[in-house]
């Protein structure tokens, strides 16, 4: 639950955000590419701190909220979590493979987007 007054904004002005994972099929991609193999899913967590360019697996912030594992398949989008939008603040998430799943992708500016995004509901 958000504090009564967060960074000078009343909680009544807060918007709700959604964390989504997008995984188009290869046919939906213009010049990008995406390969998914194996069995399992993606585990997603909100971290207690901010990841930087020097963050690695061994020094990553601890998990604040574990959103569980989502089984993914090409051609789908997944809503991972909803939360109050963190206006004016940075937040970090961790994605981890669960099982023996392997996801490899290249994305450029052409349709369609691939990966984890925060959107305003």
């Amino acid at each position: 639950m958000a504090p009564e007054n967060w960074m000078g904004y009343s909680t009544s002005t807060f918007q709700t955000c959604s964390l989504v994972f997008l995984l188009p099929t290869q046919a939906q991609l213009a010049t990008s590419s995406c390969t998914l193999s194996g069995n399992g899913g993606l585990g997603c967590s909100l971290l207690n701190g901010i990841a930087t360019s020097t963050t690695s697996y061994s020094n990553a912030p601890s998990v604040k909220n574990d959103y569980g594992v989502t089984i993914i398949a090409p051609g789908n989008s997944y809503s991972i979590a909803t939360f109050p939008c963190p206006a004016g603040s940075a937040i970090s998430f961790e994605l981890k493979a669960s099982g023996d799943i392997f996801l490899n992708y290249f994305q450029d500016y052409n349709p369609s987007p691939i990966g984890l995004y925060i959107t305003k509901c």
Side-chain angles (χ1 to χ4, degrees):
M1 200 166 171
E4 191 67 28
N5 187 320
W6 186 60
M7 293 190 57
Y9 296 94
S10 163
T11 53
S12 63
T13 63
F14 276 50
Q15 298 286 326
T16 299
C17 282
S18 181
L19 184 66
V20 296
F21 187 82
L22 308 176
L23 187 61
T25 63
Q26 186 62 46
Q28 293 171 306
L29 301 174
T31 55
S32 299
S33 66
C34 182
T35 304
L36 178 69
S37 61
N39 296 303
L42 292 178
C44 184
S45 300
L46 172 65
L47 300 179
N48 266 315
I50 304 305
T52 68
S53 61
T54 60
T55 301
S56 67
Y57 180 79
S58 62
N59 67 2
S62 62
V63 170
K64 182 175 183 176
N65 289 346
D66 183 346
Y67 298 125
V69 174
T70 301
I71 305 301
I72 60 172
N76 292 290
S77 62
Y78 303 91
S79 178
I80 306 294
T82 57
F83 47 88
C85 294
S89 295
I91 55 177
S92 294
F93 296 91
E94 175 183 63
L95 285 178
K96 278 193 208 182
S98 173
D100 68 352
I101 197 163
F102 179 78
L103 173 64
N104 185 36
Y105 69 91
F106 161 77
Q107 179 178 333
D108 61 13
Y109 58 88
N110 286 314
S112 291
I114 306 167
L116 193 65
Y117 295 89
I118 298 175
T119 63
K120 187 173 74 168
C121 295

